[in-house]
Amino acid sequence: GKTNAADVIRMLAHNALTRALIMEAGVLLPLVALLRAGTEQDKANAARALSGLVMDQNTRTQIMDAGALPLLVKLLRTGTELGKAEAARATSRLAQGPFLLRVVNAGALPPLIALVCPLCAGSKAGAGNNACLVLERTAADPRFCELVRELGAVGALATAAHMSGCGWADKARAALHAICPTQDEIERALMATYLENCILHAQRDASASCFESLASLAGPVSKGHDVVFRLSDGEIGCSRLLLARASPYYEKYLFGGTAESASVVVEPDPDFSSAAHIAL
């Protein structure tokens, strides 16, 4: 099928002669179509095949002009771990010389920075190494060095460079030194990243605590409730916000601007049992 065809192209692309023949055969548009609308495995294979087809400036131009770049960026953002890794590989092969500007303008830097951080979902050695390569080249270009800083690459690279067991620590250090030439700058970046992580965890803890407090409101009707269920075996009080978070039915029922939205009495969700309402 299409997945196997993309995989065969990927394997054939390792040879310079077959690469040229494959390009002449017109495989670019079918590969881009797979990248656009294929399965997750199709997209990963297509990205891998495209990276193997990159030979020189001419092939980079052909691949980009075929519309592959924005689809690779989308795969960097939303793909599976394998898809992100293959998209990072292809983007790294494309992001060289005069083509670096097109990669930056396509929005590739933020998802690449996310892949650099070993704490982020989707990070793996192949993706991290290739992301670091792109960031190192970008940081070495005076046009983009400040942009790389503003996007938070320093913190992600510093974390990867100093984290024990990170498979792309060496590449991260190389990219980091391209942005921050002195150790003092690197240490300040590490401290800033640490503080940002502390704030993020504190915000998550606060949100969790708030939601737990809302959940604790469910039960016998009391002053703390703003809605009431009338069930066959009695009444249950609860919070509008909690119900809306728990069920699309109640989100529409309670915040849909209808007459029922203003009522303090709620009709039970037909998809929920009495036990489920009590559990809420």
Side-chain angles (χ1 to χ4, degrees):
K2 295 178 181 179
T3 301
N4 292 335
D7 202 36
V8 170
I9 292 170
R10 173 185 65 80
M11 292 186 288
L12 291 174
H14 287 297
N15 180 279
L17 176 60
T18 55
R19 275 202 301 267
L21 293 173
I22 289 169
M23 292 294 286
E24 290 176 8
V27 300
L28 277 184
L29 291 181
L31 285 175
V32 170
L34 276 182
L35 201 56
R36 178 180 294 108
T39 65
E40 293 303 321
Q41 185 63 53
D42 288 339
K43 293 175 182 178
N45 284 345
R48 180 68 177 270
L50 287 170
S51 67
L53 291 173
V54 176
M55 294 179 285
D56 50 29
Q57 290 196 8
N58 183 48
T59 52
R60 288 187 178 90
T61 299
Q62 288 179 276
I63 290 170
M64 290 189 177
D65 288 350
L69 185 55
L71 298 173
L72 289 170
V73 173
K74 182 178 180 181
L75 192 59
L76 284 172
R77 294 181 183 278
T78 63
T80 61
E81 282 195 11
L82 178 60
K84 290 178 179 180
E86 297 300 352
R89 184 200 306 271
T91 304
S92 175
R93 298 291 304 276
L94 292 170
Q96 298 188 35
F99 300 93
L100 188 58
L101 175 61
R102 293 181 68 170
V103 170
V104 172
N105 288 341
L109 293 185
L112 287 171
I113 291 169
L115 290 177
V116 164
C117 182
L119 303 177
C120 295
S123 295
K124 55 191 301 184
N129 278 321
N130 284 303
C132 287
L133 287 174
V134 177
L135 293 175
E136 183 180 3
R137 292 178 204 140
T138 309
D141 190 316
R143 296 174 297 173
F144 309 124
C145 188
E146 191 56 37
L147 174 62
V148 173
R149 286 174 177 270
E150 292 174 358
L151 291 173
V154 174
L157 289 166
T159 301
H162 293 82
M163 178 170 284
S164 176
C166 177
W168 53 98
D170 289 343
K171 291 286 194 308
R173 276 190 284 273
L176 186 60
H177 283 291
I179 307 171
C180 300
T182 68
Q183 185 62 29
D184 183 56
E185 287 184 274
I186 293 173
E187 289 175 357
R188 287 203 303 270
L190 277 171
M191 180 56 68
T193 302
Y194 173 75
L195 292 174
E196 288 173 5
N197 287 335
C198 287
I199 292 170
L200 179 61
H201 286 305
Q203 290 172 337
R204 287 175 177 170
D205 290 344
S207 296
S209 175
C210 179
F211 194 73
E212 288 170 3
S213 297
L214 283 171
S216 68
L217 291 175
V221 179
S222 69
K223 292 181 180 180
H225 298 137
D226 54 7
V227 289
V228 176
F229 286 101
R230 287 182 180 166
L231 305 172
S232 59
D233 51 354
E235 294 183 339
I236 299 172
C238 197
S239 157
R240 287 175 178 267
L241 179 58
L242 178 63
L243 290 169
R245 288 286 298 272
S247 164
Y249 171 89
Y250 288 125
E251 181 179 11
K252 182 177 180 180
Y253 189 100
L254 297 170
F255 295 96
T258 62
E260 290 84 357
S261 302
S263 174
V264 296
V265 178
V266 179
E267 295 297 328
D269 185 335
D271 292 331
F272 278 54
S273 65
S274 296
H277 284 95
I278 293 170
L280 280 171

